[in-house]
Amino acid sequence: MNEIEIQGYEDLLVRNGLKRTGARLQVLDVLSHRDSATSQPYLENVIGKDIDRVTLYRILKTFEEKGIIHRVLDKQGTANYAICSNSCTAHHHHDEHVHFNCNNCLRVYCLDNVKIPTLKIEQGFKIEDMNLIVSGICKECNEAN
Ligand SMILES: [Zn+2]
Ligand SMILES: [Zn+2]
Ligand SMILES: [Zn+2]
């Protein structure tokens, strides 16, 4: 983590009324540097014994509630987390983009530029969130062949 990055993470925490802790900074750092969404087991692997499981779980939950990260379930039902766009706020996520689950490397990508089309649904129903997960072979796996 360099100075500028740490400053950015701290600003993000302060803006969301969260105290700066080493564990929170570490999680933000890992998530920010990945081009795909990140599962808790992956985080546990990278961060190692520095943060216990319960703490990590709570950090992810808090970040999700604050609109800092959003959760995507992959095809296996594993939760993956990705940094939100700036428009997300506490309890109001606006991550209506398509997610891509690679059948080969199993990674989940946010396709930020591919928006989920608006749906017309029956009267009386109110949409609160939508998920669209597309699966196939990701760019990296494709190029590796
Ligand atoms: Zn969000
Ligand atoms: Zn892949
Ligand atoms: Zn996403």
Side-chain angles (χ1 to χ4, degrees):
M1 279 188 259
N2 66 41
E3 293 281 317
I4 297 166
E5 283 175 343
I6 295 172
Q7 191 60 53
Y9 304 148
E10 284 181 353
D11 288 349
L12 188 60
L13 292 175
V14 171
R15 248 187 289 140
N16 286 286
L18 297 172
K19 258 193 267 164
R20 171 214 154 107
T21 66
R24 284 174 178 158
L25 293 178
Q26 256 186 296
V27 172
L28 284 177
D29 192 49
V30 176
L31 293 180
S32 305
H33 283 102
R34 298 203 69 219
D35 60 359
S36 57
T38 306
S39 66
Q40 179 162 345
Y42 181 96
L43 282 166
E44 282 168 10
N45 241 330
V46 178
I47 296 172
K49 300 251 178 291
D50 291 359
I51 310 177
D52 67 79
R53 241 174 224 204
V54 179
T55 309
L56 188 55
Y57 173 78
R58 288 209 189 107
I59 290 173
L60 293 170
K61 209 171 151 65
T62 307
F63 281 179
E64 194 187 351
E65 281 168 7
K66 294 286 185 183
I68 297 172
I69 60 174
H70 59 281
R71 183 164 41 124
V72 197
L73 292 181
D74 65 19
K75 294 207 308 184
Q76 283 77 32
T78 306
N80 288 268
Y81 299 88
I83 300 277
C84 286
S85 61
N86 291 324
S87 56
C88 293
T89 55
H91 305 288
H92 290 284
H93 281 276
H94 303 280
D95 307 290
E96 284 106 12
H97 51 257
V98 171
H99 288 107
F100 190 96
N101 198 177
C102 180
N103 288 329
N104 184 46
C105 65
L106 306 178
R107 284 203 278 177
V108 177
Y109 295 83
C110 290
L111 302 183
D112 291 303
N113 298 319
V114 188
K115 300 286 171 220
I116 298 179
T118 0
L119 297 180
K120 262 210 168 132
I121 58 164
E122 282 152 82
Q123 262 202 333
F125 290 88
K126 185 176 167 277
I127 296 176
E128 289 189 328
D129 71 275
M130 291 200 287
N131 277 299
L132 181 56
I133 190 142
V134 174
S135 58
I137 304 298
C138 78
K139 208 173 152 194
E140 250 177 73
C141 291
N142 231 337
E143 281 166 3
N145 278 313

